[in-house]
Amino acid sequence: MERIEFANGLEMSRLVYGLWRLDQDDCSTGHIRAKLQACLDQGITTMDTADIYGGYRTEEIFGSALRGSGLRDRMEIVTKCDIVAPMGRYADRPVKHYDTSRAHILSSVDMSLKLMGLDHIDLLLIHRPDPFMDADETGSALDEVVASGKVRAVGVSNFRPWDMDLLQGSMRQPLVTNQIEFSLTHNGALTDGDMAYLQRKRIPPMAWSPLGGGSLLTGTHAAKEALDRVAKRLGSTPDAVAIAWILAHPARVLPVMGTNNMNRIKALSDAAKVKIDRETWFDLYTAALGHDVA
């Protein structure tokens, strides 16, 4: 499995396993360990979660599976913070909001470490842009958690270029990634400046929902028909081709793959075996757009 090097010396597997729906399946320790082992067997060593996943339960479920397993030393763990929703440990909060204050970031890191049984987090992301963010305070807090050794590297999720510039301008540590929604059909990042900005800064993006939440593989639409056609020609599967389309982009995107189906987990690395040339890439892209490029 190809590995991508980020700033601060952090390396991650090109394909990332997403734990967003971990709580929606068999949560027994043995079953979760089997899924994690299936990823590791393919060289997928990076696991992506967030404090809010599973109504603030997923980190604890994940941590229970890690304890005593010996698996932690073979993986990189990504988590996120700043969304405060009235559920779980924040059930008493009157309104959903974002909190990028120093106090919240520091307490979130400590809680994530405790719930997952870790001595450090490999990558911490600010989950959503906060319109009430004090960039100096937030940036200083992110620098602080890295300096403390509790976090190896920091980044953001769902930020626009100007949001990243604002925060980075108040930090010593580099923002090493932006995790954005990106797929064959959710492809606006290619033209709205997001992907160009990350390429210019040499920042590898992460892509959440790389299969469009499954919509790429269901129903009747031009993108699905194109994926079926290309998959048949290449001797692959539509889902592997859809991920390979992302992998082919020169920005070095890391798709975050989320599934609880063991057979699909065991086949995640198939996408890395599919080679998409320029004409095939544009064939799929124009099918998703619904028209030729200008």
Side-chain angles (χ1 to χ4, degrees):
M1 174 68 60
E2 179 188 4
R3 297 185 66 76
I4 297 295
E5 184 175 354
F6 291 76
N8 278 15
L10 176 65
E11 282 192 356
M12 294 170 58
S13 56
R14 186 67 189 275
L15 296 175
V16 178
Y17 184 54
L19 305 178
W20 175 39
R21 296 188 178 96
L22 189 68
D23 68 305
Q24 299 175 21
D25 191 35
D26 179 352
C27 291
S28 66
T29 294
H31 185 67
I32 294 174
R33 285 180 179 176
K35 290 192 287 190
L36 297 175
Q37 186 63 58
C39 290
L40 293 171
D41 288 344
Q42 302 169 78
I44 300 172
T45 62
T46 304
M47 311 296 161
D48 177 85
T49 188
D51 60 356
I52 194 175
Y53 289 173
Y56 299 98
R57 295 178 58 243
T58 294
E59 287 183 328
E60 185 172 12
I61 295 169
F62 179 45
S64 295
L66 287 181
R67 287 180 177 86
S69 68
L71 296 175
R72 197 285 178 252
D73 291 340
R74 300 171 57 193
M75 61 179 61
E76 303 83 41
I77 295 175
V78 182
T79 194
K80 313 175 192 74
C81 71
D82 97 329
I83 302 179
V84 179
M87 64 177 76
R89 61 179 179 262
Y90 298 119
D92 62 338
R93 301 301 176 91
V95 62
K96 183 178 180 180
H97 62 282
Y98 306 129
D99 191 341
T100 52
S101 67
R102 175 181 180 275
H104 184 78
I105 291 171
L106 298 188
S107 65
S108 294
V109 167
D110 286 342
M111 181 62 74
S112 292
L113 291 171
K114 176 182 176 181
L115 293 177
M116 291 188 282
L118 308 177
D119 61 5
H120 73 276
I121 295 161
D122 293 290
L123 177 59
L124 175 72
L125 306 181
I126 298 297
H127 205 158
R128 293 277 178 179
D130 176 10
F132 200 61
M133 180 179 72
D134 179 331
D136 289 339
E137 180 179 357
T138 302
S140 176
L142 293 175
D143 285 339
E144 184 176 345
V145 295
V146 175
S148 72
K150 294 179 179 180
V151 174
R152 287 185 61 191
V154 290
V156 295
S157 180
N158 303 296
F159 273 45
R160 301 304 309 280
W162 45 85
D163 297 314
M164 290 191 72
D165 281 343
L166 172 63
L167 182 55
Q168 186 66 85
S170 295
M171 296 179 62
R172 297 186 304 275
Q173 294 293 329
L175 295 171
V176 304
T177 192
N178 187 11
Q179 187 175 127
I180 58 175
E181 184 176 5
F182 182 61
S183 67
L184 179 58
T185 48
H186 194 96
N187 53 47
L190 297 172
T191 54
D192 67 8
D194 287 351
M195 200 68 76
Y197 174 86
L198 294 168
Q199 279 188 273
R200 181 171 65 84
K201 294 287 189 177
R202 302 293 193 269
I203 297 173
M206 300 176 73
W208 62 269
S209 199
L211 294 175
S215 64
L216 272 173
L217 309 177
T218 59
T220 302
H221 51 83
K224 182 180 183 300
E225 292 172 0
L227 286 170
D228 290 343
R229 171 170 44 78
V230 171
K232 183 177 181 179
R233 175 167 61 82
L234 297 180
S236 186
T237 60
D239 53 338
V241 170
I243 299 303
W245 181 85
I246 294 174
L247 295 175
H249 195 277
R252 300 182 302 152
V253 186
L254 290 81
V256 180
M257 313 285 289
T259 178
N260 282 316
N261 182 293
M262 186 61 78
N263 290 329
R264 290 191 63 196
I265 291 172
K266 291 179 178 179
L268 289 177
S269 61
D270 288 352
K273 304 169 187 174
V274 179
K275 302 304 177 186
I276 302 291
D277 61 26
R278 181 178 291 269
E279 290 186 358
T280 302
W281 193 91
F282 273 96
D283 181 14
L284 294 166
Y285 181 48
T286 54
L289 290 176
H291 56 78
D292 287 342
V293 293

